[in-house]
Amino acid sequence: ADVSVEVATVDHTLQKVRRKYHHTRHCRKRRSPKKRFEELWSGLWTYPYLVVVVVTAVVFAVVVTVWALLWVFTCRESNNGVYFAGMIRVANEEFIPEYRHADSTEFLSLAKKIELVLSNVYKGSSVAKLYKQAVISDLSNNNLGGVLVHFWMVFEVPQLKSPAVREEWVGAILRDSVLTSLQNRTSVGYLLDLPVDIESILINAAQRSDYTSTSSGSECLDKPYAPLPGTSVPLELDPPGGGVSCHIKLTSAPGSVVRLTISSFLIQPSDCVGDALTVYDSLLPMSARTLRAWSGTCSMSDLLSTNALCKCSFSGADDVCVSACSSHVETQEGAGYTGHIYSPFHPSLLPTKCICTWLFGTPSPSLGVSLKFHNYVLRPKDPNAHCTHGWWKVNDHMFCGSYVGYSTVFRISHPSPEVEFRCSSRQAQMPFQAAYGSYNLSQPCDQGHFLCSTGFCVERHQRCDGLDDCQDESDEHFCCTASCGGPSPPHPLYVCDGHSDCSNGRDELNCTQGTLRWDCVGTCILKKNARCDGVPDCQDRSDEEDCGCGLPSPVRKVGSFSNLDRIVGGSNSLEGEWPWQVGLLFSGNLYCGASVLSADWLISAAHCFSKERLADPRSWRAHLGMLTRGEARHVAEIQHVVVHEFYDASTFDYDVALLRLRRPWPASLAPLVQPVCLPTPSFTPGPLRPCWVTGWGYRSEGGSKGGSKVLPAVLQKAQVSLLSPSECKKRFHPVTARMLCAGVPSGAQDACNGDSGGPLACQASAGGRWFLMGIVSWGSGCGRPRLPGVYTRVSKLTSWIHQHIT
């Protein structure tokens, strides 16, 4: 009974407020000014006026905030720090011991002078507005005199202008400043008033982390010094965790070089793929001065610096050594190999700068000099190519050296030749050695022997016996006849291949007693392609072990076949038809192919990872069980990339790489993900057995079809035929024993750009397992008539593969 209800509208409330305000203003005319102000203030904070004030304040705050954001993100460019590591040689300054200490008065005085010169140069250049500062990191002695200066340069570059500051242009500013003052063919000019050796100027782009971690205040920095040549300085370093980079700056007395001997090195396997040890021929982490870089465990080797300095860093890479060597060598007649010559500082790694000269002499003008190399070969120099693994001059004839997986013999048809060797690589290379002796100029091989391309002499009965006696198969070239008549047996290429090449069937008789094909433990069997053929031929069944591979189970077809689906004669694959096929994506883009070898390992082509930016496993992703691009059954991260140590980027020899997955792919993905079988060294598919190349590469040469670049969405397949080594060599030069050719005469079926690293799979027998015969490597265009594709020959590299994956 005491409750009353009033329904009020906004209009009703406002009318009451207006009446109250009107009554206050007009009825109380004799109030004091102070009283009127108080009443007015209380009136303003009544409900409607409070709303107006709050809304106005909010609108004002929003306007101010929006304006500030527009100024930051639109009107004002955000600046990024860009860092460069540099090195120059000041020619007129004598090195004193105080320069080794960055806090000494002498160091600070010279450093301030050089920093001022560098600043004046860049403040007067086209990048003056972007230049921030130069910081001298180290002063060191060198074997050319003067003082070697190691410095940092920092630029503040707006994001929109970041491409305008590159190491080539930053270095060109210094070189141009010195170039104008060069006189009388000397390499020393003036950087303003500072005499600088123009050949010593080197600028490399760097990371901010390199700049901060190598500063004098770094928590993990050491600077040992060897005061006398031959002094041994022990190094023991246990770097802390948490992503800290440790650096050791090694220096030694003038006139010497630093030899770094690694006796123990271990990085525990983990997800930290960035863990690495890098050695530089500099006191700063400069990529162009990389001596060696390791991740995980490594083979122990000695490293040598160019000067009396060297830097070890736990995250980077670097370059090499200067030395000279010469000797006079006398050979003996009829005594075989009587001595050895060695690479500079052997057995240390080969430096980048070195010169060696050997003067040979034989006891008779009818004798020449024979050099037997281990894992090294000399070939005539191509006038248009650069020698990347050693430059040789033999009596005014030029040769290039390269590393191979076998021994070679190099013969010099002169009784007293002069042999000069120069280092020519940007990175430290493996050492070499050669045994020397004399040979008869008129008859290099004894009677009844065959001269191999490797320089070896093998007995004539070993020619065309199906075995690689020359180590480069030169004894097996041009043997493509079945030899069905006469006393000689048929060539092993035709024996027991399931096809009768002889009219009397001679090549298919006694197929378990032909050429040696498989080694059991403790015994041998004579059977072709006994590996994983489903028949246990060895008593211990070793020929059928680890054979869970190469048996695909296609389940469905995607789309319909048409000319638009073709990639150089290919067609759409079925799901599960090629379960070992892998797509490799670099920074999100499909770049190469690969094949599954096991739950942990993939195999691909070395040239996919040859450049420095491509060698970082963190930028790669492996797409397994993928039929249509972007629809992988499993995406795996790469933990480690192993490129064959003999890979030659100029010839694509040893074009093979292994990729270790960070985690095994799930077994539940079978049969859509499955390994391909590895062939034995003697594996030979029958001539009627199909071989197929697969990939997502371009459909035609140049990657264009109808004027536009289009990659197929569905995995493509194309059937090709293997060519004999002799036919392959007729098409291309040079073709090595680690290469094979496959295609069709018309060129209608072929691999192309984007298929690199992918598989060439062949069946050993009808309904049998599929073996990885080749890896897409190189070719002359795509789909050209009479120009087949060239593949890495896997059967020649199986031992190297097993060394890593087992």
Side-chain angles (χ1 to χ4, degrees):
D2 296 330
V3 176
S4 63
V5 178
E6 179 183 0
V7 179
T9 65
V10 174
D11 291 339
H12 176 70
T13 305
L14 289 177
Q15 288 175 4
K16 290 173 65 178
V17 173
R18 282 199 299 269
R19 285 196 298 270
K20 180 179 179 181
Y21 181 68
H22 179 78
H23 177 76
T24 304
R25 290 186 60 188
H26 298 287
C27 296
R28 300 183 181 182
K29 298 181 179 179
R30 298 186 178 274
R31 294 166 299 162
S32 66
K34 180 178 179 181
K35 190 68 175 178
R36 289 200 305 268
F37 177 79
E38 291 175 351
E39 290 177 353
L40 179 62
W41 181 255
S42 62
L44 288 175
W45 286 102
T46 55
Y47 177 77
Y49 296 101
L50 178 62
V51 172
V52 173
V53 172
V54 172
V55 171
T56 303
V58 170
V59 171
F60 177 78
V62 170
V63 171
V64 172
T65 303
V66 170
W67 181 86
L69 292 176
L70 287 174
W71 183 81
V72 170
F73 292 104
T74 304
C75 303
R76 178 180 179 270
E77 293 177 307
S78 59
N79 289 342
N80 290 332
V82 179
Y83 299 84
F84 296 92
M87 188 165 59
I88 59 174
R89 184 174 72 90
V90 178
N92 70 337
E93 189 72 29
E94 181 181 356
F95 183 85
I96 57 177
E98 286 76 12
Y99 287 157
R100 289 197 297 271
H101 307 287
D103 56 352
S104 67
T105 303
E106 293 80 3
F107 179 96
L108 295 175
S109 175
L110 182 58
K112 183 177 180 180
K113 176 182 177 181
I114 298 173
E115 287 174 0
L116 182 62
V117 169
L118 292 173
S119 295
N120 289 338
V121 168
Y122 283 95
K123 287 179 178 178
S125 69
S126 59
V127 294
K129 294 182 178 180
L130 307 177
Y131 176 80
K132 182 180 179 182
Q133 65 175 341
V135 178
I136 306 303
S137 172
D138 297 277
L139 302 174
S140 65
N141 57 274
N142 68 98
N143 295 333
L144 298 177
V147 174
L148 202 57
V149 182
H150 309 261
F151 59 91
W152 291 101
M153 283 191 297
V154 184
F155 292 79
E156 285 190 348
V157 185
Q159 291 181 350
L160 297 179
K161 297 182 179 179
S162 57
V165 182
R166 298 178 179 176
E167 63 181 36
E168 298 89 351
W169 298 347
V170 175
I173 292 174
L174 285 184
R175 281 187 286 271
D176 290 345
S177 300
V178 177
L179 188 63
T180 57
S181 62
L182 294 180
Q183 295 179 355
N184 301 326
R185 297 184 179 180
T186 178
S187 64
V188 177
Y190 286 89
L191 196 64
L192 298 183
D193 61 342
L194 193 70
V196 170
D197 183 359
I198 191 172
E199 295 182 354
S200 70
I201 296 175
L202 181 62
I203 303 292
N204 273 174
Q207 301 293 326
R208 182 180 183 275
S209 57
D210 296 331
Y211 173 69
T212 56
S213 63
T214 56
S215 62
S216 58
S218 173
E219 60 181 294
C220 197
L221 179 66
D222 193 14
K223 295 183 178 181
Y225 172 67
L228 297 172
T231 303
S232 178
V233 179
L235 300 177
E236 293 185 7
L237 181 62
D238 185 14
V244 175
S245 296
C246 289
H247 305 273
I248 306 174
K249 297 183 177 182
L250 310 172
T251 55
S252 61
S256 64
V257 295
V258 174
R259 181 194 297 272
L260 174 66
T261 302
I262 302 175
S263 58
S264 177
F265 173 64
L266 175 64
I267 293 180
Q268 294 180 354
S270 67
D271 292 340
C272 301
V273 296
D275 290 352
L277 170 65
T278 307
V279 183
Y280 300 90
D281 189 22
S282 167
L283 295 182
L284 291 181
M286 306 181 71
S287 59
R289 304 291 291 173
T290 303
L291 279 169
R292 203 74 170 176
W294 294 279
S295 60
T297 57
C298 69
S299 57
M300 299 302 115
S301 297
D302 287 358
L303 292 171
L304 292 142
S305 68
T306 299
N307 284 294
L309 55 89
C310 184
K311 177 181 178 295
C312 301
S313 173
F314 286 93
S315 67
D318 230 67
D319 197 73
V320 122
C321 145
V322 176
S323 71
C325 56
S326 61
S327 61
H328 187 84
V329 180
E330 293 288 341
T331 66
Q332 300 179 20
E333 184 174 3
Y337 295 102
T338 57
H340 290 82
I341 61 172
Y342 300 93
S343 57
F345 302 105
H346 188 279
S348 296
L349 293 176
L350 193 65
T352 54
K353 297 180 181 178
C354 66
I355 302 175
C356 285
T357 303
W358 297 281
L359 299 175
F360 289 93
T362 61
S364 170
S366 63
L367 299 177
V369 175
S370 177
L371 299 176
K372 182 180 179 181
F373 288 94
H374 177 67
N375 288 354
Y376 197 73
V377 63
L378 300 187
R379 298 187 178 97
K381 184 182 183 302
D382 185 343
N384 300 320
H386 174 68
C387 296
T388 56
H389 302 294
W391 177 89
W392 295 75
K393 181 180 177 182
V394 181
N395 285 350
D396 296 327
H397 294 282
M398 308 302 175
F399 298 87
C400 285
S402 59
Y403 297 94
V404 293
Y406 51 86
S407 300
T408 64
V409 175
F410 181 75
R411 290 185 174 85
I412 307 172
S413 57
H414 194 280
S416 55
E418 179 179 351
V419 178
E420 179 181 328
F421 168 77
R422 290 177 181 262
C423 298
S424 61
S425 175
R426 292 186 60 186
Q427 292 192 349
Q429 298 288 334
M430 292 177 292
F432 65 80
Q433 68 179 56
Y436 62 81
S438 58
Y439 76 98
N440 192 323
L441 290 174
S442 60
Q443 190 176 356
C445 293
D446 294 337
Q447 192 171 4
H449 285 70
F450 169 76
L451 179 60
C452 303
S453 298
T454 54
F456 285 98
C457 299
V458 299
E459 297 183 14
R460 287 198 177 275
H461 69 80
Q462 294 177 292
R463 176 153 162 71
C464 296
D465 63 353
L467 301 178
D468 186 8
D469 302 293
C470 288
Q471 301 187 61
D472 67 346
E473 293 191 328
S474 55
D475 57 323
E476 298 301 311
H477 293 164
F478 310 106
C479 298
C480 295
T481 58
S483 300
C484 296
S488 300
H491 188 274
L493 181 65
Y494 300 93
V495 172
C496 299
D497 60 2
H499 179 72
S500 181
D501 300 284
C502 299
S503 58
N504 57 5
R506 177 186 177 190
D507 55 315
E508 297 302 310
L509 295 176
N510 300 320
C511 284
T512 60
Q513 300 178 8
T515 305
L516 174 62
R517 296 294 178 183
W518 178 258
D519 293 336
C520 300
V521 178
T523 183
C524 296
I525 60 171
L526 303 176
K527 181 180 180 182
K528 186 174 184 178
N529 298 337
R531 167 85 171 138
C532 294
D533 63 351
V535 179
D537 300 288
C538 298
Q539 292 183 355
D540 58 1
R541 305 177 68 92
S542 58
D543 58 318
E544 298 300 315
E545 291 179 352
D546 300 323
C547 291
C549 58
L551 288 177
S553 302
V555 294
R556 68 181 177 92
K557 186 175 182 179
V558 174
S560 59
F561 174 77
S562 68
N563 287 335
L564 293 178
D565 292 329
R566 298 171 69 84
I567 168 173
V568 194
S571 59
N572 287 346
S573 299
L574 312 182
E575 188 171 31
E577 187 175 9
W578 314 104
W580 45 82
Q581 176 76 52
V582 177
L584 294 179
L585 276 70
F586 178 79
S587 298
N589 297 314
L590 191 62
Y591 195 83
C592 277
S595 301
V596 178
L597 291 183
S598 68
D600 299 292
W601 289 93
L602 311 177
I603 188 169
S604 186
H607 74 261
C608 292
F609 313 92
S610 58
K611 296 181 180 179
E612 183 177 352
R613 67 183 183 91
L614 298 174
D616 187 351
R618 292 170 293 184
S619 300
W620 291 91
R621 292 294 183 271
H623 285 219
L624 286 75
M626 182 172 69
L627 178 64
T628 304
R629 282 190 295 119
E631 299 180 4
R633 298 284 180 166
H634 180 67
V635 178
E637 296 180 352
I638 307 300
Q639 178 176 336
H640 192 46
V641 179
V642 182
V643 174
H644 199 291
E645 59 272 21
F646 296 152
Y647 169 65
D648 189 335
S650 61
T651 63
F652 292 96
D653 199 9
Y654 296 95
D655 190 10
V656 60
L658 295 173
L659 314 178
R660 185 167 191 170
L661 303 180
R662 184 172 295 186
R663 295 176 182 85
W665 49 269
S668 60
L669 293 178
L672 297 180
V673 178
Q674 184 185 139
V676 65
C677 295
L678 277 176
T680 61
S682 61
F683 178 82
T684 307
L688 300 182
R689 300 272 60 81
C691 292
W692 292 78
V693 58
T694 52
W696 291 274
Y698 285 111
R699 298 172 175 141
S700 61
E701 186 173 335
S704 61
K705 189 177 183 67
S708 62
K709 293 185 176 181
V710 179
L711 288 169
V714 179
L715 178 65
Q716 300 291 288
K717 60 181 179 180
Q719 186 174 350
V720 293
S721 299
L722 301 180
L723 277 70
S724 68
S726 302
E727 288 297 318
C728 190
K729 286 183 176 291
K730 290 179 182 179
R731 302 292 196 276
F732 299 105
H733 180 77
V735 172
T736 71
R738 273 75 52 195
M739 302 176 188
L740 61 85
C741 292
V744 294
S746 65
Q749 286 99 338
D750 195 8
C752 200
N753 298 0
D755 295 319
S756 291
L760 173 68
C762 305
Q763 272 185 309
S765 60
R769 299 180 186 272
W770 289 83
F771 289 80
L772 184 65
M773 195 67 185
I775 300 170
V776 179
S777 182
W778 62 279
S780 180
C782 303
R784 296 185 184 182
R786 297 180 298 280
L787 288 176
V790 184
Y791 300 78
T792 304
R793 190 173 178 181
V794 178
S795 61
K796 285 290 184 180
L797 301 166
T798 50
S799 59
W800 179 84
I801 295 170
H802 283 298
Q803 286 175 3
H804 287 84
I805 68 175
T806 58

